[in-house]
Amino acid sequence: MSESTPRVCVRDVMKTEFGLIEGSATIFEALLLMKKLRTSLLVVDKRHEDDEYGLLLISDISRQVLALDRSPKRVNVYEVMTKPAVYVDPEMDIRYCSRLFARFDLVRALVVDNKRILGTISPNLLVLDGIFFGLEQHR
């Protein structure tokens, strides 16, 4: 890494607010929570200590519920979610995180430290906040 390029890590630009939902909840309940929190993603909680977190994106609901004309009150979160959720370390450099997103065509990932969710990260945050954060640090 050159001296002219400041190091910006995922922790610097991640979103720390997120909603948590059980996999057994209905899509209708998930939509109510998304609307209340004004978000397009929910973290699906682990069922037990050895389980993994899941992610429910509004795009998943669009493709797997709305487009197929399924009832949101009859479809459970676990039927639509992505599990296991991909997660990154909060100290990962945003350039490597961006490469990970590109390589695996990701739109969201969890930021996890010691099995605890700290937040979420997206390509938008990496670019819009990450690049500007680095430029402001360099001033």
Side-chain angles (χ1 to χ4, degrees):
M1 191 177 326
S2 70
E3 274 185 43
S4 64
T5 307
R7 184 175 187 280
V8 180
C9 59
V10 169
R11 181 186 304 277
D12 298 325
V13 297
M14 69 182 184
K15 182 179 173 188
T16 56
E17 304 85 33
F18 57 89
L20 197 63
I21 194 162
E22 295 293 323
S24 60
T26 65
I27 294 299
F28 181 75
E29 292 168 320
L31 289 168
L32 289 175
L33 183 57
M34 286 176 160
K35 205 165 169 67
K36 177 183 173 189
L37 299 176
R38 302 183 58 80
T39 187
S40 62
L41 117 132
L42 294 173
V43 176
V44 183
D45 203 3
K46 294 179 174 186
R47 291 174 297 168
H48 50 78
E49 184 62 31
D50 296 325
D51 198 14
E52 294 296 329
Y53 291 106
L55 276 181
L56 178 67
L57 305 176
I58 203 79
S59 58
D60 297 330
I61 296 170
S62 175
R63 279 193 307 275
Q64 297 181 50
V65 180
L66 182 60
L68 300 177
D69 199 26
R70 297 171 74 191
S71 170
K73 291 184 178 181
R74 293 187 137 164
V75 178
N76 294 93
V77 167
Y78 70 82
E79 297 176 68
V80 179
M81 69 181 179
T82 300
K83 185 175 179 174
V86 173
Y87 61 88
V88 298
D89 188 277
E91 299 308 316
M92 180 184 276
D93 188 295
I94 63 168
R95 292 174 292 185
Y96 293 120
C97 189
S98 185
R99 290 177 194 167
L100 180 76
F101 273 66
R103 175 170 287 157
F104 295 103
D105 200 26
L106 301 173
V107 292
R108 293 280 190 292
L110 297 178
V111 181
V112 176
D113 190 26
N114 292 321
K115 295 188 176 187
R116 197 174 125 251
I117 302 173
L118 302 179
T120 61
I121 191 72
S122 69
N124 288 356
L125 292 171
L126 291 170
V127 173
L128 294 175
D129 294 342
I131 290 175
F132 284 109
F133 186 87
L135 291 174
E136 288 173 357
Q137 272 189 333
H138 195 265
R139 280 187 189 184

